[in-house]
Amino acid sequence: MLVGTCPYYLYDRGEMLFCEGATVKYPDKASKKKCLNTYCCNEECGYKHCTVYTVMEDYYERLYDGQDIQTFAKRKKKEGNLGRPTKFSGGKNE
């Protein structure tokens, strides 16, 4: 198993790739490995060009609506749903 650097990568198993915004089933392990190496594990030029990464960045931008993480967390705690502040956690899933 390869470790992804994309902040939305979760894990991969067999021909499947799981990330926060999508689950992808590839035709074989070689195809999945190529995607992982080209996008998920390639910070310099890869995952920032991934459609799922772009969609998730836009989602969190709209969700937070320009708020800092402390303000957002306080508001969501009152609502009983903290969500997952991936964008503000240093770029890594925690």
Side-chain angles (χ1 to χ4, degrees):
M1 182 169 93
L2 299 171
V3 177
T5 58
C6 175
Y8 304 111
Y9 171 87
L10 297 173
Y11 63 96
D12 60 278
R13 183 181 310 141
E15 291 84 26
M16 303 287 290
L17 172 65
F18 300 87
C19 62
E20 187 175 348
T23 300
V24 181
K25 183 177 186 313
Y26 291 93
D28 58 17
K29 291 180 183 178
S31 299
K32 180 194 73 178
K33 186 175 180 179
K34 183 176 180 179
C35 179
L36 283 169
N37 289 330
T38 303
Y39 293 103
C40 307
C41 299
N42 188 339
E43 186 173 6
E44 289 183 19
C45 61
Y47 71 78
K48 293 183 179 180
H49 298 286
C50 173
T51 301
V52 176
Y53 174 86
T54 304
V55 167
M56 294 307 297
E57 287 291 293
D58 180 62
Y59 167 74
Y60 279 112
E61 192 66 37
R62 288 183 285 111
L63 182 65
Y64 293 124
D65 195 25
Q67 299 176 58
D68 63 45
I69 189 63
Q70 288 80 19
T71 303
F72 177 79
K74 287 178 187 175
R75 181 173 61 95
K76 294 307 267 183
K77 187 173 183 179
K78 287 180 183 177
E79 297 171 7
N81 178 12
L82 281 176
R84 201 173 115 164
T86 305
K87 186 168 184 173
F88 297 96
S89 63
K92 301 290 181 198
N93 288 332
E94 295 179 349

